[in-house]
Amino acid sequence: MTAVQEERTTDDLRALAERAGRELEDASALEILRWAAETFGDRFCVTSSMEDAVVAHLASRALPGVDVVFLDTGYHFPETIGTRDAVAAVMDVNVITLTPRRTVAEQDAEHGPRLHDRDPDLCCALRKVKPLEEGLKGYQAWATGLRRDESETRANTPVVGWDEKRGKVKISPIAKWSQEDVQTYVTEHGVLTNPLLMDGYASVGCAPCTRRVLEGEDARAGRWAGRSKTECGLHG
Ligand code: SF4
């Protein structure tokens, strides 16, 4: 950590994010991540749902050994946990697994079973939003794999923006990429992907809240299907 990184105030970080958002709009994903590596050093991390390891791979090229933060909600598909373990084993990254304060069994005892069916917002708050908030405390900036083409709610995602809720710079280096761009990168670099993507799933989240997508549906249609909920609260 450099002295400059330690001294940055929230206002400094906000101004930095807003300026970079404008200046890096036309930069490549790797250029954006190189800027993040130079600007934040080890106060920068990537978050990954382990749907694929594209952003983690890009970030490891910009900052070898970069922290890759994974939220283990206790409800993941075994394939997702396997993808995380494979990423940790073969890539030049430091995988950090965050867990909620309560196990699924403890949550069931407190709130009743299948909270995800009755109050998914509360379940996501307890198992995703809160652990991430705590896990990101030491960082000034975090990168995500959000893409504008994934859904209407993500259509205006900036490549670098300000995360008001957490007081951090939020970087979405592949915001402008299409699914085809992702596939091309995966093929060219042999990037690990979640096996469920080959089994009809277009977006992979917790098992109880994820189904396969149907022809013509957008990539996130299989998440909380049948509910008005479209996001878990990590990106709102
Ligand atoms: S996605 Fe579903 S199971 Fe996972 S934390 Fe949210 S409500 Fe709970």
Side-chain angles (χ1 to χ4, degrees):
M1 185 191 314
T2 70
V4 173
Q5 285 161 18
E6 281 181 79
E7 284 164 12
R8 282 188 189 125
T9 65
T10 300
D11 285 345
D12 292 339
L13 289 170
R14 186 188 291 108
L16 193 61
E18 288 169 358
R19 191 172 69 244
R22 290 190 299 274
E23 292 177 356
L24 294 172
E25 170 63 21
D26 295 323
S28 71
L30 193 54
E31 286 167 342
I32 293 165
L33 287 162
R34 285 195 173 124
W35 167 82
E38 279 164 22
T39 308
F40 304 107
D42 61 4
R43 305 288 300 274
F44 162 70
C45 70
V46 174
T47 55
S48 177
S49 64
M50 296 299 164
E51 185 174 298
D52 62 54
V54 168
V55 177
H57 187 275
L58 279 159
S60 74
R61 292 169 65 193
L63 184 66
V66 64
D67 287 351
V68 173
V69 173
F70 170 71
L71 266 172
D72 185 355
T73 62
Y75 278 119
H76 283 301
F77 292 99
E79 289 87 343
T80 301
I81 300 300
T83 304
R84 176 204 58 186
D85 293 345
V87 166
V90 306
M91 286 177 55
D92 189 2
V93 298
N94 176 38
V95 174
I96 295 170
T97 297
L98 305 178
T99 52
R101 287 201 177 156
R102 286 175 172 64
T103 63
V104 169
E106 287 166 350
Q107 177 172 295
D108 287 355
E110 189 172 342
H111 296 279
R114 303 187 69 81
L115 183 62
H116 45 75
D117 288 348
R118 294 175 288 109
D119 192 346
D121 286 342
L122 178 59
C123 187
C124 279
L126 296 170
R127 312 205 72 74
K128 290 186 170 182
V129 179
K130 191 73 183 160
L132 187 71
E133 190 181 301
E134 289 169 2
L136 290 184
K137 267 186 187 145
Y139 300 101
Q140 292 182 341
W142 61 302
T144 78
L146 295 185
R147 297 201 330 262
R148 293 174 188 168
D149 74 343
E150 288 176 304
S151 65
E152 282 181 22
T153 56
R154 297 186 173 186
N156 297 318
T157 302
V159 293
V160 180
W162 178 241
D163 177 357
E164 185 69 47
K165 196 153 73 178
R166 300 179 185 86
K168 298 187 191 303
V169 179
K170 184 172 172 183
I171 301 162
S172 301
I174 62 168
K176 292 180 296 177
W177 285 24
S178 64
Q179 183 56 41
E180 205 180 342
D181 295 329
V182 172
Q183 198 48 52
T184 301
Y185 189 88
V186 165
T187 305
E188 278 178 5
H189 296 273
V191 175
L192 284 160
T193 58
N194 193 311
L196 294 174
L197 296 179
M198 303 292 286
D199 190 21
Y201 293 84
S203 174
V204 181
C206 294
C209 302
T210 306
R211 67 152 169 78
R212 292 176 176 85
V213 289
L214 307 172
E215 186 120 7
E217 288 184 327
D218 78 32
R220 290 182 60 81
R223 305 288 294 278
W224 303 284
R227 295 177 179 273
S228 58
K229 185 175 172 67
T230 56
E231 296 283 350
C232 50
L234 298 181
H235 304 297

